[in-house]
Amino acid sequence: MKILVVGGGGREDALAWKLSQSRLAEKIFIAPGNAGTSMRGENVPISADDIDGLREFALRESVDLTVVGPELPLTMGIVDAFEEAGLKVFGPSRKAAQLEGSKVFSKELMTRLGIPTARYRKFTDPVEARAFVEGLNSQVVIKADGLAAGKGAIVCQTMDEALKATDTIMVKRAFGDAGASVVVEEFLSGEEASFIAVTDGTTVLPLAPAQDHKAIYEGDRGPNTGGMGAYSPAPVVTKAMEREITERIMEPVVRAMKEAGTPYSGVLYAGLMLTENGPMVLEFNCRFGDPEAQPILMRLKNDLVEVLLASVEGRLHEIELDWDDRAAVCVVMASEGYPGSYEKGKEIHGLDEAVKVEDVVVFHAGTAEVDGRIVTAGGRVLGVTGLGTDIGDAIKRTYSVVEMISWEGVYYRRDIGAKALRR
Ligand code: AMP
Ligand code: GLY
C-alpha cells in the first residue's frame, strides 16, 4: 500500500516511523514532513492545509490510505474532500472535527450528554464577558472558541488577570478570529491526563493512557505550550478509571455524533482533569496528541496500518490492541524562547551517535536539512523517546540520549516523568 501522512511535526514523524514498519506499507509519503520523516519515507513539499494540492497528489500517486496528523486540515474538511474523490482517509469529517474546532460546540454537547466538565458561560460580546468576570470571585480559565495551537486557554489566578485575558482574546484578537467568542469556565484542580482512542464511528478502541507536560518550565510553571514531554502508561489512570472514561465519556460522544448524522471516526482525544470528583473533560481533540503519540506509538505492538484501515473501513471491532509492558518517556527539545519567538537555523549536533542507542528513537519536529546539515526550523525541534523497564528506567535512558544532542539555544525540561515517579 501507498500511505500519505499529512503534517510535519513530531507526531507525524512518529506516525511515519510506525507506519513504515507495517508489512502492508510499500511506500510512505509525508507532506510536508521534516528532516526526520525523510528517513522514514519520501517528503512531499505540499503544506498540510493545502487540501486541493494534497488531494491532487493522492490521486496522481494512487495513494491507498491517507493519515492526517494535525487538527487544522481536519477542521478545514480534508476528510470530506478526500472521500468525495474516492480516497481512503483516516480522520473525522469537517463537521465531526468541530469537537476540537469549537469549544462552544463541544461544551454544548457535553452539557447535553451530562459528561462531567467545568461549568462555563460563552460570550461573543467583550463587554458582557467583562461584566461576567467582574461578578466572579474565584479562579477562572478564559478560552478562545476556535483553534489557537494549544495556546488559546489562559488560566487566571486573579480578576485582573481574567479581565486582561478577556481583552487579549476578544479585543486584541491575539488568536485572530478564534477569539470572536470565548468560553469562561471554572478552574478545576487535579492532575491532567490524555485519553486517546481510535474510533470508526461505532466502536471505541482506547489507546494506552498518557500524560503530557503543557507548561514551559519545570514544576509545571509558566505559559502553556503544545507539550514539552509525555509518558505512557500513566499510573494515575487506573484500569477502573479507564473503563469509566470509555463508558461515560468516549462512547456517549461517539454515539451522539452518529445520532446527529455527523458520525465521528478517527482519533478522539479527551484532555482530562482527574479531580476529587472523578475525571472531568477539559477539551476534546480530533487527532493524536503531540507529544503523546510518540510514547504511545513506541509501546504499540500492533501493525498500525491494520488498525487505521479497520477504522476507515468500519470494522474496528475486529481489532485488539497489544502493548509493550515497558514504559516510554518522550522529552521535547525546543528552541530557546518557545512558546514565544525564537531563532531558527541552528545546526543540531550529536544526532549520529544518538540514533544508535537501542530502544530510543529521536523523533524530529521542527527540523530541516540544509546543505547536508540538520538545523532547527521550529519551536519544538526533537522528541527523544525511550523505552525502559519502568518509568524511572525510561527517564534515565531517554535523558542520556537527550544529553548527547545539542545546538545553540537548546531548551528542555529536566523533570519529564517526575510526576509519575512520585506515585
Ligand atoms: P484546553 O485547550 O482547553 O485543553 O486548555 C489547555 C490547558 O489549560 C489544559 O491542558 C489545562 O492545563 C489548562 N486548563 C484548561 N481548562 C482548565 C480548567 N477548567 N481548569 C484548570 N485548568 C484548565
Ligand atoms: N499535547 C497536547 C496536544 O496534542 O493537544
Side-chain angles (χ1 to χ4, degrees):
M1 288 175 66
K2 288 188 183 176
I3 298 168
L4 169 63
V5 176
V6 176
R11 165 184 51 213
E12 288 76 28
D13 191 24
L15 285 166
W17 171 83
K18 182 71 185 163
L19 291 165
S20 69
Q21 293 164 26
S22 165
R23 60 179 180 84
L24 298 168
E26 262 164 65
K27 173 103 200 178
I28 311 265
F29 297 106
I30 309 95
N34 55 43
T37 59
S38 66
M39 297 183 277
R40 332 271 182 219
E42 185 181 326
N43 284 353
V44 182
I46 305 175
S47 93
D49 54 6
D50 178 2
I51 293 176
D52 290 339
L54 291 166
R55 182 175 53 183
E56 232 169 81
F57 175 82
L59 286 170
R60 189 168 66 237
E61 288 288 339
S62 309
V63 167
D64 299 289
L65 175 65
T66 297
V67 180
V68 185
E71 60 277 15
L72 184 61
L74 292 167
T75 57
M76 287 169 66
I78 189 170
V79 167
D80 312 63
F82 272 54
E83 282 178 349
E84 275 163 27
L87 292 161
K88 274 190 188 160
V89 54
F90 176 77
S93 68
R94 185 179 64 82
K95 281 190 176 150
Q98 275 195 88
L99 220 38
E100 171 165 4
S102 166
K103 299 262 185 215
V104 172
F105 176 86
S106 76
K107 284 302 244 185
E108 282 171 358
L109 183 77
M110 285 189 269
T111 307
R112 193 154 58 74
L113 298 176
I115 289 175
T117 187
R119 280 176 300 177
Y120 77 104
R121 288 273 299 270
K122 71 164 179 182
F123 295 94
T124 47
D125 178 356
V127 178
E128 281 174 28
R130 284 182 66 94
F132 178 71
V133 166
E134 274 168 340
L136 299 171
N137 50 13
S138 49
Q139 292 180 64
V140 293
V141 184
I142 315 252
K143 301 182 177 185
D145 177 42
L147 294 180
K151 298 166 198 162
I154 305 177
V155 178
C156 309
Q157 309 293 341
T158 63
M159 185 187 298
D160 226 39
E161 281 176 30
L163 290 173
K164 234 173 83 193
T166 310
D167 237 43
T168 303
I169 297 175
M170 300 190 87
V171 183
K172 299 205 180 90
R173 291 290 172 100
F175 311 109
D177 287 344
S181 38
V182 294
V183 165
V184 178
E185 71 176 45
E186 93 186 288
F187 176 85
L188 300 175
S189 50
E191 206 168 315
E192 279 184 61
S194 304
F195 197 86
I196 301 175
V198 175
T199 175
D200 59 5
T202 306
T203 302
V204 174
L205 196 61
L207 305 181
Q211 273 186 296
D212 186 13
H213 297 67
K214 284 231 164 74
I216 184 71
Y217 302 128
E218 280 144 30
D220 295 331
R221 289 173 305 108
N224 274 339
T225 68
M228 294 302 292
Y231 56 85
S232 170
V236 64
V237 182
T238 61
K239 277 281 159 211
M241 223 187 266
E242 250 183 81
R243 210 168 317 117
E244 181 193 341
I245 295 163
T246 305
E247 289 170 6
R248 306 245 329 254
I249 297 171
M250 311 302 270
E251 290 176 348
V253 166
V254 168
R255 216 177 299 131
M257 294 297 285
K258 189 176 182 177
E259 282 165 9
T262 51
Y264 191 101
S265 70
V267 169
L268 180 59
Y269 160 159
L272 302 171
M273 187 67 88
L274 307 175
T275 71
E276 272 179 354
N277 304 317
M280 296 179 79
V281 177
L282 294 178
E283 64 165 348
F284 285 113
N285 293 321
C286 62
R287 32 94 195 158
F288 285 101
D290 186 350
E292 293 95 318
Q294 288 84 314
I296 290 174
L297 293 174
M298 286 268 296
R299 294 188 56 229
L300 181 68
K301 287 195 182 164
N302 298 65
D303 182 322
L304 186 61
V305 178
E306 271 176 23
V307 177
L308 303 188
L309 207 55
S311 161
V312 172
E313 293 172 352
R315 43 177 190 80
L316 206 54
H317 58 274
E318 293 173 6
I319 302 283
E320 211 173 302
L321 295 181
D322 191 12
W323 297 97
D324 192 323
D325 288 332
R326 290 175 295 174
V329 170
C330 170
V331 175
V332 170
M333 301 180 74
S335 299
E336 188 175 19
Y338 173 78
S341 59
Y342 51 82
E343 288 179 30
K344 298 181 187 176
K346 306 290 180 193
E347 183 170 1
I348 305 173
H349 304 282
L351 285 171
D352 291 346
E353 286 306 305
V355 299
K356 288 184 195 149
V357 180
E358 211 182 317
D359 289 331
V360 178
V361 180
V362 179
F363 292 115
H364 287 230
T367 64
E369 199 181 319
V370 178
D371 302 329
R373 296 174 309 136
I374 295 184
V375 301
T376 65
R380 294 190 292 173
V381 176
L382 300 171
V384 180
T385 311
L387 289 165
T389 47
D390 53 27
I391 296 265
D393 186 43
I395 291 171
K396 234 185 296 164
R397 296 174 61 91
T398 304
Y399 275 104
S400 74
V401 174
V402 167
E403 282 155 16
M404 296 163 78
I405 303 170
S406 63
W407 66 85
E408 188 200 323
V410 58
Y411 171 78
Y412 56 88
R413 275 180 61 165
R414 284 160 207 276
D415 65 344
I416 302 302
K419 246 187 297 212
L421 282 187
R422 282 199 294 274
R423 288 201 157 255

